[in-house]
Amino acid sequence: MRYPPIVKNMPHILHGGDYNPEQWIKWKDTIWKEDMRLAKLAGINTLTLGMFSWTALEPAEGQYNFAWLDELMDMLAENRIAAVLGTPSGARPAWMSSKYPEVLRVNESRLRNVHGERHNHCLSSPVYREKTRAINEQLAQRYKEHPALAVWHISNEYSGECHCPLCQAEFRTYLKNKYKTLDALNEAWWAAFWSSTITDWDQIESPGKLGNGGHNGLRLDWRRFTTEQFIDFYLNETAPLKAITPDIPCTTNLMAAYTGIDYARFAEVLDVASWDSYPQWTSAEGNSTIGLRTSYYHDLMRGLKRKPFMLIESCPSATNWRPVAKLHRPGLHKLQSLHALAHGADTVQYFQFRKSRGGPEQYHGAVVDHFGGENTRVFREVADLGECLKGLDDLVGMDTPVETALIHDYQVRWALEDLKGLLQEKTAYGETLIDHYRAFWKRGIALDIIDSQQTLEKYRLVIAPMLYMLREGAAERIDEFVQNGGIFVATYVTGYVNESALTFLDGFPGSLKKTLGIRCEEIDALYPGETNSIEWDGRTYRAFDLCELVHREGAEVLGVYGSDFYAGSPALTVHRRGKGRAYFIAARTGEDFLDDFYRHLTTEAGIRPLFEELPEGVSVHVRSDGKKDVVFLMNFTNENRLIPTEPDKPGISLEPFEVKMLRSETNT
Ligand code: GLA
Ligand code: ZN
């Protein structure tokens, strides 16, 4: 399968980055020209303009100044550089904050921020929405025919929340639409608890730090509402763009580790998913682990739309906001960039093209340093990469072939974060998902990371660790998947609550009981350092943190606990249902168990890795259009590595941080 290129008529890997030329407007005759020369020298074919340019574009209310942007758009077109055009809502002009204080954000303590920084705006303010829409409309009208216009980059890293009176009113309207009656709302929030019953819609307040933070039903709905507000804000921004330039794709830069927005829901309105990746290479965690985590995040972002995405920001060198702004070792830049392509990105973009001279990010890595010219190590590495990317047109739009899915659900994460019980500090939803992911990553077996609302037909194996909340239709889809021959894996802390975070009253794991053929009764939380064990397949594995006590209701017991009062009771089960099987891992286990267990399961599912053995720190990922495969072999370590192939053959060697790309016919 091959998707169309992100930019119509531009079947190349996009290479470029955020460019803030308005900072250099006084020196434009020299700097802007020099920037064009340097961009071309670095093999850059796209630059992002306008993202934080509101004051430069509208210095006084209603007085627009597009002259400088006109000039730049023309320069980009002359130099055959595509423009990713930013909308400026990420930071507002000071005149706007002064005249309309309602545009400023109000924090959880109900204090209004003063003007400054960025991302500091109310999501509901009619004034802010009107101003945003107006400037976006101006931009679209002005550049609709411009040959440089390629992508709309909406705002910047949508995040945070606003607790102003306007947002409170919107929240109440959202709840009225959702619940219709207060009775339904009170039941969903289990409001009789601590006399929390609401008797008038106006009594509802967003959760915050004023003694109203604790009710999980309220918190869950507030986060859902905030997600919907961002979507609504985004749609308000894109309305004029879609009307005037319907063929130009719209996106906004996401942050894979951010959990304040349900990105699975948000992605529904994006034309293409894009994200900002800033791995902290060469840190105490070790580059193999950073490689693993970054792979996970790339897959999480690709899974949002299950098609190629944009690496819309990355850093070619030291990231200034890290506690230790470590330089990227030589070779790491190419590795991190091709790594993204391996996982389904069709772009390599940076923050930033030219380092700013002052301000909060003046020491953030950039293609062009304060020194200015091309004679720097970082510039040379970017230019080398640019050269390499020119030879990768065949990758554009290629799919990522997968047979396995890992379910990650933002709303499950929210519900778990609010759960009081189990292990307060170590519920560790995200880390648990990465633990399961690792067993596949180490063997070069690709996964999609998908939301629990996604369809499952295309997979042979679906893994859903800690699926604590069963959202609408999720259990039914999983059951159908199993009945049709799929292999499903669930773990401890599955199926406790419905979408309102109300527990199921007929036993856990709720409506997955029949699929898994078990009933969970209690769960034991273990102290740090305390362990139990799982006896399975002739081996003893460590169990720790959480051990669930399981009754068999049709499932077969494969493994049992080794100690404590539940010694001998089920710790690993399988239930044959329809044409498929559903496994349940009752306790948190270490890497050894997950490795062995998933090796067993992938064999059973007929999922074969490309290489039988991969050395530590080497990862393999494939893109394919169904006819041709491109296999990426990546060495995240700073040592030579050898991938064994067939006996008596020399194998494939990789130097430190090396990436090899092998092309072959698709073998189906
Ligand atoms: C984010 C923002 C950029 C910049 C970088 C710095 O990704 O989108 O504007 O601040 O961080 O790493
Ligand atoms: Zn607000």
Side-chain angles (χ1 to χ4, degrees):
M1 162 95 191
R2 191 183 282 278
Y3 295 89
I6 290 165
V7 179
K8 225 179 180 174
N9 305 325
M10 204 173 160
H12 313 296
I13 299 294
L14 303 186
H15 183 218
D18 288 4
Y19 180 37
N20 301 297
E22 66 273 28
Q23 293 175 13
W24 304 92
I25 204 156
K26 287 191 184 156
W27 303 269
K28 73 186 180 64
D29 292 338
T30 47
I31 300 264
W32 289 7
K33 287 207 180 74
E34 174 68 348
D35 284 344
M36 293 301 115
R37 185 185 74 81
L38 291 169
K40 284 198 295 183
L41 203 58
I44 278 176
N45 59 14
T46 169
L47 287 168
T48 303
L49 294 172
M51 204 195 302
F52 293 113
S53 312
W54 203 332
T55 310
L57 292 171
E58 194 181 349
E61 189 171 12
Q63 289 174 26
Y64 295 106
N65 170 19
F66 290 104
W68 65 272
L69 190 54
D70 291 349
E71 200 177 320
L72 275 154
M73 289 291 278
D74 292 350
M75 282 170 86
L76 258 53
E78 276 157 32
N79 289 285
R80 299 186 172 280
I81 296 172
V84 173
L85 198 49
T87 67
S89 69
R92 72 262 66 72
W95 59 255
M96 196 188 295
S97 307
S98 306
K99 182 160 178 200
Y100 308 102
E102 72 161 59
V103 304
L104 293 169
R105 202 167 273 191
V106 169
N107 70 20
E108 286 170 84
S109 304
R110 310 308 192 250
L111 281 176
R112 195 175 290 280
N113 289 351
V114 292
H115 177 79
E117 303 203 348
R118 55 177 173 176
H119 306 164
N120 181 7
H121 57 84
C122 169
L123 300 173
S124 308
S125 155
V127 172
Y128 201 58
R129 287 185 175 215
E130 185 199 309
K131 297 283 177 205
T132 307
R133 205 177 157 117
I135 190 145
N136 290 5
E137 185 163 353
Q138 292 279 336
L139 287 166
Q141 282 299 359
R142 192 157 190 103
Y143 301 113
K144 64 181 178 210
E145 310 284 355
H146 201 285
L149 180 64
V151 175
W152 287 112
H153 182 315
I154 311 303
S155 202
N156 178 262
E157 293 190 336
Y158 282 138
S159 52
E161 46 194 45
C162 179
H163 298 259
C164 78
L166 294 165
C167 287
Q168 303 292 349
E170 291 292 330
F171 183 39
R172 288 169 199 145
T173 305
Y174 167 85
L175 294 170
K176 272 184 209 160
N177 288 335
K178 176 168 179 176
Y179 291 109
K180 311 287 187 277
T181 66
L182 280 174
D183 190 43
L185 174 136
N186 283 319
E187 187 181 321
W189 289 1
W190 209 246
F193 186 84
W194 283 345
S195 203
S196 309
T197 304
I198 302 285
T199 52
D200 188 316
W201 295 99
D202 287 340
Q203 295 159 1
I204 298 170
E205 283 282 339
S206 62
K209 292 184 177 151
L210 297 170
N212 64 339
H215 211 106
N216 53 350
L218 164 69
R219 289 176 60 85
L220 204 50
D221 273 334
W222 170 250
R223 296 204 239 197
R224 288 180 179 135
F225 161 75
T226 299
T227 294
E228 296 307 319
Q229 279 298 86
F230 274 113
I231 291 174
D232 208 46
F233 191 87
Y234 176 89
L235 292 175
N236 177 67
E237 286 219 44
T238 54
L241 313 180
K242 287 286 172 200
I244 300 165
T245 58
D247 292 337
I248 304 293
C250 295
T251 190
T252 185
N253 51 340
L254 308 179
M255 302 166 278
Y258 183 68
T259 56
I261 295 177
D262 178 351
Y263 279 160
R265 166 83 185 99
F266 195 20
E268 290 173 23
V269 299
L270 303 177
D271 294 325
V272 53
S274 58
W275 84 284
D276 303 342
S277 175
Y278 292 96
Q280 175 69 330
W281 301 113
T282 322
S283 60
E285 274 200 290
N287 281 347
S288 300
T289 304
I290 300 296
L292 158 79
R293 285 183 186 283
T294 310
S295 298
Y296 172 85
Y297 287 135
H298 284 317
D299 287 348
L300 180 65
M301 294 293 101
R302 189 191 69 247
L304 292 177
K305 294 198 80 77
R306 295 198 277 196
K307 66 174 194 182
F309 63 94
M310 299 172 79
L311 174 69
I312 206 162
E313 281 184 32
S314 61
C315 184
S317 185
T319 304
N320 75 327
W321 49 264
R322 292 280 186 193
V324 177
K326 194 88 187 153
L327 294 181
H328 285 185
R329 280 25 229 167
L332 267 172
H333 180 61
K334 186 167 183 186
L335 173 63
Q336 79 167 15
S337 305
L338 296 183
H339 182 205
L341 301 189
H343 282 261
D346 272 1
T347 79
V348 176
Q349 290 160 276
Y350 310 119
F351 180 84
Q352 52 189 335
F353 177 70
R354 178 182 279 277
K355 242 182 215 184
S356 40
R357 186 166 186 198
E361 296 185 321
Q362 75 192 117
Y363 296 110
H364 192 290
V367 178
V368 179
D369 212 325
H370 293 137
F371 165 70
E374 66 264 44
N375 198 10
T376 65
R377 180 182 70 95
V378 171
F379 187 91
R380 276 193 296 276
E381 291 209 27
V382 170
D384 284 351
L385 178 80
E387 213 33 56
C388 161
L389 298 181
K390 284 182 190 161
L392 300 184
D393 286 357
D394 66 337
L395 269 187
V396 175
M398 271 190 170
D399 202 3
T400 302
V402 291
E403 295 169 306
T404 306
L406 178 70
I407 295 183
H408 165 281
D409 193 301
Y410 287 90
Q411 301 200 17
V412 169
R413 180 190 283 264
W414 293 341
L416 280 169
E417 276 171 13
D418 290 341
L419 182 160
K420 299 266 182 282
L422 304 181
L423 285 172
Q424 298 274 321
E425 303 297 328
K426 274 187 80 184
T427 309
Y429 180 63
E431 287 304 308
T432 303
L433 289 175
I434 293 178
D435 285 344
H436 286 252
Y437 180 87
R438 183 186 291 112
F440 292 81
W441 187 83
K442 281 161 69 175
R443 298 176 63 211
I445 298 176
L447 298 171
D448 270 353
I449 303 180
I450 59 167
D451 184 73
S452 78
Q453 299 301 295
Q454 297 263 31
T455 53
L456 303 175
E457 297 91 69
K458 66 183 272 201
Y459 308 108
R460 292 187 190 195
L461 173 61
V462 171
I463 304 163
M466 301 181 79
L467 195 64
Y468 170 66
M469 171 189 282
L470 296 180
R471 293 175 55 204
E472 187 68 33
E476 292 69 22
R477 272 189 297 280
I478 290 168
D479 195 57
E480 197 186 329
F481 166 77
V482 173
Q483 302 253 24
N484 289 335
I487 299 181
F488 173 66
V489 181
T491 72
Y492 52 93
V493 193
T494 289
Y496 283 31
V497 298
N498 67 12
E499 286 210 58
S500 301
L502 295 175
T503 52
F504 294 114
L505 295 177
D506 53 353
F508 305 157
S511 37
L512 277 176
K513 281 202 312 276
K514 60 182 185 314
T515 314
L516 290 158
I518 53 162
R519 179 170 67 83
C520 302
E521 187 182 320
E522 290 181 285
I523 186 159
D524 197 14
L526 276 58
Y527 289 109
E530 203 187 346
T531 58
N532 200 313
S533 63
I534 296 184
E535 318 281 339
W536 171 59
D537 208 21
R539 278 192 64 180
T540 303
Y541 298 90
R542 205 164 59 92
F544 53 94
D545 285 356
L546 294 165
C547 296
E548 190 131 27
L549 277 54
V550 176
H551 296 279
R552 212 160 57 83
E553 290 192 351
E556 196 183 309
V557 177
L558 299 177
V560 294
Y561 283 113
S563 60
D564 220 320
F565 73 92
Y566 42 95
S569 74
L572 177 67
T573 61
V574 62
H575 187 222
R576 283 159 216 283
R577 182 159 169 88
K579 295 190 214 137
R581 281 182 292 281
Y583 288 85
F584 187 77
I585 308 170
R588 189 166 283 165
T589 59
E591 204 171 327
D592 56 348
F593 174 84
L594 294 174
D595 284 352
D596 290 352
F597 177 69
Y598 284 122
R599 196 172 279 275
H600 176 84
L601 242 62
T602 46
T603 309
E604 187 173 298
I607 299 169
R608 290 186 53 82
L610 224 48
F611 299 93
E612 279 310 319
E613 288 303 325
L614 287 178
E616 188 276 327
V618 167
S619 135
V620 172
H621 220 259
V622 181
R623 291 187 71 176
S624 173
D625 63 0
K627 296 185 204 110
K628 186 165 81 173
D629 290 351
V630 182
V631 181
F632 291 76
L633 308 172
M634 296 164 275
N635 179 7
F636 289 97
T637 74
N638 54 7
E639 292 162 9
N640 289 317
R641 288 285 192 251
L642 186 75
I643 305 176
T645 47
E646 290 153 48
D648 304 328
K649 292 259 172 81
I652 305 170
S653 64
L654 291 170
E655 290 178 12
F657 305 144
E658 189 183 350
V659 183
K660 277 203 166 95
M661 295 169 67
L662 311 178
R663 288 173 165 77
S664 64
E665 302 282 301
T666 300
N667 189 5
T668 41

